[in-house]
Amino acid sequence: MCKLCDGRIILTSAVVHYSAAAVTDKGRKRSSNEDAFGFSVEHGVFVVCDGMGGAAAGEIASSLAVDEVLRLLTARAGDADLPTVAEQAISAANATIYSRSQQNHTLNGMGTTMVSLVTEERRAWVLNVGDSRCYRLRGGKLEQISLDHSLVDEQVRMGRMSTEEALRSPLRNVITRALGTQSRVSPDTFELEAKSGDLFLLCSDGLTREVPDTLIESILSADVPLNELCSRLVDAANKAGGQDNITCVLVRATVQAA
Ligand code: CA
């Protein structure tokens, strides 16, 4: 920052800070929680996974995925290309889950969705596999960043099904990409530039199937701490039925003068 002799200040550089909060809840109908999340504000890594599989397999898949991605991304070299390393970490997590399921027949077919946000100063990338989502609230408007890898969403995007039909479809649980169910998987990657005040939401479908985007937008617009916003989202999902596990990670970007 440069201060002129007449007292005016010229902003020559700015630093982006991120803060985060998260909550997971098993909802009102499920006996266990197969969602998992993890983050490191220091390393700019935020992850939500929603596991699937019989017995405890879903929980194992989602935990393995979060642990592997966090481990690899927090250990990355300082000059590493972040989106490339993130894609490699997701491939490694896929391989770990896949080989565990091949070695143990009780874990056959286990898998997990993943949505992650990785940040490096103003630059941010969202990577996703499956139907866990990333949204961004900017200027009071909520925008879905990731695109679901689900059969009905792909039909909607191709114009073959309406959003209303998708919500009622018996095929709405079918996801077209998951971590751990095949030997290889590739995420979709979305590149963004963070602005001061941006609020990112990573969440499992236990939130988005119960709470319409309009309500998520109005909840996130309240001027309260991030952990309170997380609690309000979970409360809204449970109030609407709480049919599934609910997980929310919120990440706020704040740009400050250096
Ligand atoms: Ca779910």
Side-chain angles (χ1 to χ4, degrees), residues 13-20 41-42 44 46 117 119-123 194-200 226 250-258:
S13 63
V15 178
V16 184
H17 290 282
Y18 293 91
S19 53
V41 173
E42 182 191 351
F46 310 87
L117 170 72
T119 63
E120 195 171 66
E121 283 293 322
R122 283 175 184 276
R123 298 168 77 206
K195 286 190 176 173
S196 197
D198 279 355
L199 180 59
F200 296 94
L226 292 183
L250 285 173
V251 184
R252 171 90 70 193
T254 314
V255 179
Q256 294 172 343

Side-chain angles (χ1 to χ4, degrees), residues 45-56:
V45 185
F46 310 87
V47 188
V48 166
C49 289
D50 175 355
M52 64 207 83

Side-chain angles (χ1 to χ4, degrees), residues 150-187:
S150 75
L151 199 61
V152 295
D153 253 59
E154 288 172 0
Q155 295 286 312
V156 170
R157 288 202 289 276
M158 286 188 285
R160 294 182 184 162
M161 192 182 266
S162 70
T163 311
E164 293 70 32
E165 286 168 335
L167 286 170
R168 290 193 304 269
S169 169
L171 299 174
R172 64 186 182 278
N173 289 329
V174 179
I175 61 171
T176 51
R177 251 189 261 184
L179 281 191
T181 53
Q182 293 185 314
S183 59
R184 286 176 187 278
V185 74
S186 51

Side-chain angles (χ1 to χ4, degrees), residues 30 35 50 204-206 244-245:
R30 300 282 174 94
D35 287 357
D50 175 355
S204 60
D205 66 340
D244 195 1
N245 309 142

